[in-house]
Amino acid sequence: MSLTKLLHSPLAAGVLLIITSFIAIILCNSGGEQLYTSLVHRSIAGVPVEKFVNDVLMSVFFLMVGLEIKREFLTGQLAQWSQRILPGAAAVGGMLVPAAIYLVINREDHHTLSGWAIPSATDIAFSLGILSLLGSKVPTSLKVFLAALAIIDDLGAVIIIALFYTAGINIAMLSGALVTVIVLLLLNRRGVVALPVYLSLGVVLWYFIYQSGIHATVAGVILALCIPHSGQKIGQTSPLLKLEHRLAPWVSFIIIPVFGFVNAGVSFLHTSADQLFSAVPLGIMLGLFIGKQLGIGFISFLLIRFGVAQLPKGATTLQFYGVAILCGIGFTMSLFIGGLAFPNNPLLLDEVKIGVLGGSLLSAVVGVVLLNVAYRRKEKA
């Protein structure tokens, strides 16, 4: 594999994320917890590493997410309504049912209800990385379906973060952000394609959003939607594609692995059985493992049954359901939302990590087993 292919490989990115996350877990459970804690809480220019990663580096990740969303909706796998129906409806079902399961399990404790959105997310790096490991055992159409679903899922997560995980609004700063967005849109309309101009204004936008009370990472998505997808001259490279190509290796091989390391560390040494199966981890675990497959599977079955959508080409029903189970891998976005839901609450954050790790692991193992069984049945048929 060439270096260029490696740097844009979902398999390599997924494996690296798994490795860095496991390193964090191993450190926290083998006498290295103090070292891990000192690394995570060390300051960079007066800002704790954890906050720098979650507010600054993850803004770049959300910029990448926004670029992918815009590209797919304009010229990619979601460019037509017929392409959007199945993954779009499945994504909605895959967000609503996990959230409902979490709310039912946590209904008696209003302090934990704010975590309802944690199991609603699908991790595109992990899930596509696992599908890549299975190679030709999974039809390409299912990989396309999963990527499209995860992208719509990410869009839903961004909307949830903006609407439900926002502190008190600073109107002056929000007004500054609005003016900056208007300038970005005017530049787009006038055919300006110079990326440094957009990125410089993106830094200004990030500051205004950060100070406004809305989570700073939303600035990354807004900036992405303002960047033009077509060049000023015929044959000119799209600024959006150029930026996405340049960011991809940095996001996949530095930002996401660092995020995994900083946020996955949880100690099980002093964890009781009661804590493992308390409402928060249980709601997240069942939301990811049960809720995702039920939400995606049921709504997809209805659409296919009544002829509104079709099963992805070359895929069997069992293979499709195996991919629905894999969508319960909610690692990156779930941990991120968990940090927003329970800020400054180490106990609940540890429970979030336990639930996300447990639900994601169950979804990965069962999904892979089912996809292997489905492949063997398909070969025999």
Side-chain angles (χ1 to χ4, degrees):
M1 181 183 288
S2 67
L3 180 60
T4 302
K5 287 184 177 180
L6 177 67
L7 292 177
H8 292 82
S9 165
L11 172 59
V15 169
L16 185 57
L17 175 57
I18 292 170
I19 290 171
T20 54
S21 301
F22 269 105
I23 290 173
I25 294 169
I26 290 168
L27 278 174
C28 288
N29 291 275
S30 61
E33 188 173 6
Q34 189 172 353
L35 171 62
Y36 175 81
T37 302
S38 67
L39 287 172
V40 169
H41 295 292
R42 184 169 295 176
S43 293
I44 297 177
V47 180
V49 168
E50 187 175 21
K51 186 171 179 60
F52 177 80
V53 170
N54 291 341
D55 286 355
V56 180
L57 293 188
M58 286 302 283
S59 294
V60 181
F61 165 74
F62 274 84
L63 170 60
M64 183 73 183
V65 167
L67 294 172
E68 290 177 343
I69 290 170
K70 183 172 182 176
R71 170 176 52 79
E72 293 297 339
F73 271 87
L74 289 180
T75 59
Q77 299 160 6
L78 301 169
Q80 299 177 6
W81 279 107
S82 59
Q83 296 172 299
R84 299 170 189 166
I85 292 172
L86 187 60
V92 172
M95 297 182 81
L96 292 178
V97 178
I101 288 175
Y102 180 92
L103 286 172
V104 168
I105 293 174
N106 285 268
R107 65 188 181 279
E108 295 181 359
D109 188 352
H110 69 277
H111 295 293
T112 62
L113 289 178
S114 59
W116 62 271
I118 297 170
S120 65
T122 293
D123 191 295
I124 191 169
F126 254 135
S127 52
L128 282 179
I130 287 174
L131 277 189
S132 299
L133 280 172
L134 293 169
S136 60
K137 291 182 178 180
V138 179
T140 302
S141 61
L142 279 180
K143 296 175 184 177
V144 171
F145 167 78
L146 176 57
L149 183 149
I151 286 168
I152 296 172
D153 192 290
D154 282 344
L155 177 59
V158 171
I159 294 171
I160 287 171
I161 290 168
L163 294 179
F164 299 101
Y165 294 101
T166 293
I169 297 296
N170 183 317
I171 299 300
M173 289 297 171
L174 193 60
S175 300
L178 181 60
V179 170
T180 307
V181 171
I182 291 172
V183 172
L184 285 165
L185 291 174
L186 287 174
L187 290 171
N188 186 316
R189 290 284 294 174
R190 292 186 65 84
V192 175
V193 296
L195 281 175
V197 175
Y198 288 95
L199 295 177
S200 298
L201 284 170
V203 174
V204 176
L205 177 63
W206 183 92
Y207 174 78
F208 281 132
I209 293 287
Y210 178 78
Q211 295 292 340
S212 73
I214 299 173
H215 199 273
T217 51
V218 174
V221 177
I222 295 174
L223 173 61
L225 299 180
C226 295
I227 292 175
H229 188 25
S230 56
Q232 196 173 28
K233 302 174 183 177
I234 296 175
Q236 190 175 32
T237 304
S238 158
L240 185 148
L241 293 179
K242 186 187 296 184
L243 181 59
E244 185 181 357
H245 184 78
R246 289 177 179 175
L247 283 179
W250 293 94
V251 170
S252 298
F253 294 92
I254 295 178
I255 293 175
I256 294 302
V258 168
F259 173 85
F261 177 81
V262 168
N263 289 275
V266 58
S267 175
F268 297 97
L269 298 176
H270 308 293
T271 304
S272 64
D274 289 341
Q275 188 179 1
L276 281 174
F277 296 101
S278 60
V280 170
L282 192 62
I284 295 170
M285 196 179 307
L286 293 181
L288 287 171
F289 180 57
I290 302 297
K292 276 289 183 181
Q293 57 178 290
L294 288 183
I296 293 169
F298 180 70
I299 203 164
S300 298
F301 169 77
L302 288 179
L303 291 177
I304 293 168
R305 175 70 179 81
F306 291 103
V308 179
Q310 294 181 331
L311 196 67
K313 187 176 180 180
T316 66
T317 302
L318 196 59
Q319 285 178 315
F320 184 85
Y321 198 74
V323 168
I325 294 174
L326 279 186
C327 288
I329 302 172
F331 193 79
T332 305
M333 199 68 80
S334 292
L335 289 176
F336 185 77
I337 294 174
L340 299 180
F342 305 120
N344 306 314
N345 193 325
L347 180 62
L348 285 180
L349 286 177
D350 279 350
E351 291 186 359
V352 167
K353 294 173 185 179
I354 291 168
V356 171
L357 290 170
S360 298
L361 185 60
L362 274 172
S363 300
V365 172
V366 176
V368 167
V369 169
L370 190 59
L371 284 169
N372 274 295
V373 170
Y375 174 75
R376 287 196 293 269
R377 286 188 181 181
K378 188 177 180 182
E379 287 291 289
K380 291 178 181 178

